[in-house]
Amino acid sequence: MTDAVGSIDMPDAEDEVPESKKTRKGGKRGKKGPLGRLALFYRQIVAELRKVVWPTRNQLTTYTTVVIVFVVVMIGLVTVIDFGFQRVIKYVFG
């Protein structure tokens, strides 16, 4: 069975990787020592942190309130379930 690109049994010409082409090992890290790699790591961290979209104070307050309310609700739910199990255990084992 064939499709618009070619046969399923035969790979396309673009998919084939020539065996003579070698990949470069190490990249940027291959030429630097441990301190150079550490410096590169920290530069990359700073670059990624600059891309972060930080929430405004209003958003942060809203998110914090939502998390605290959710945690309080979950604590209440677990407490009710725990008291329920406690009564069942007291009833069964008496």
Side-chain angles (χ1 to χ4, degrees):
M1 184 171 170
T2 62
D3 55 14
V5 177
S7 173
I8 292 175
D9 298 329
M10 297 294 294
D12 296 332
E14 296 88 37
D15 293 342
E16 295 177 9
V17 178
E19 293 179 18
S20 63
K21 186 177 181 181
K22 295 182 180 179
T23 59
R24 196 170 108 190
K25 293 185 179 180
K28 290 182 180 179
R29 291 181 290 166
K31 297 180 181 178
K32 297 182 179 181
L35 291 178
R37 288 190 304 230
L38 188 62
L40 174 65
F41 177 69
Y42 284 117
R43 280 195 306 270
Q44 290 173 343
I45 288 174
V46 170
E48 288 298 322
L49 284 175
R50 286 186 179 147
K51 295 178 189 177
V52 173
V53 179
W54 297 100
T56 63
R57 183 173 294 273
N58 190 23
Q59 290 173 331
L60 190 61
T61 304
T62 303
Y63 298 156
T64 304
T65 304
V66 167
V67 168
I68 289 173
V69 168
F70 177 77
V71 168
V72 168
V73 167
M74 292 307 296
I75 288 172
L77 181 67
V78 169
T79 302
V80 168
I81 291 172
D82 186 47
F83 280 135
F85 280 136
Q86 182 181 6
R87 289 198 179 242
V88 169
I89 295 298
K90 280 186 178 178
Y91 178 76
V92 170
F93 295 109

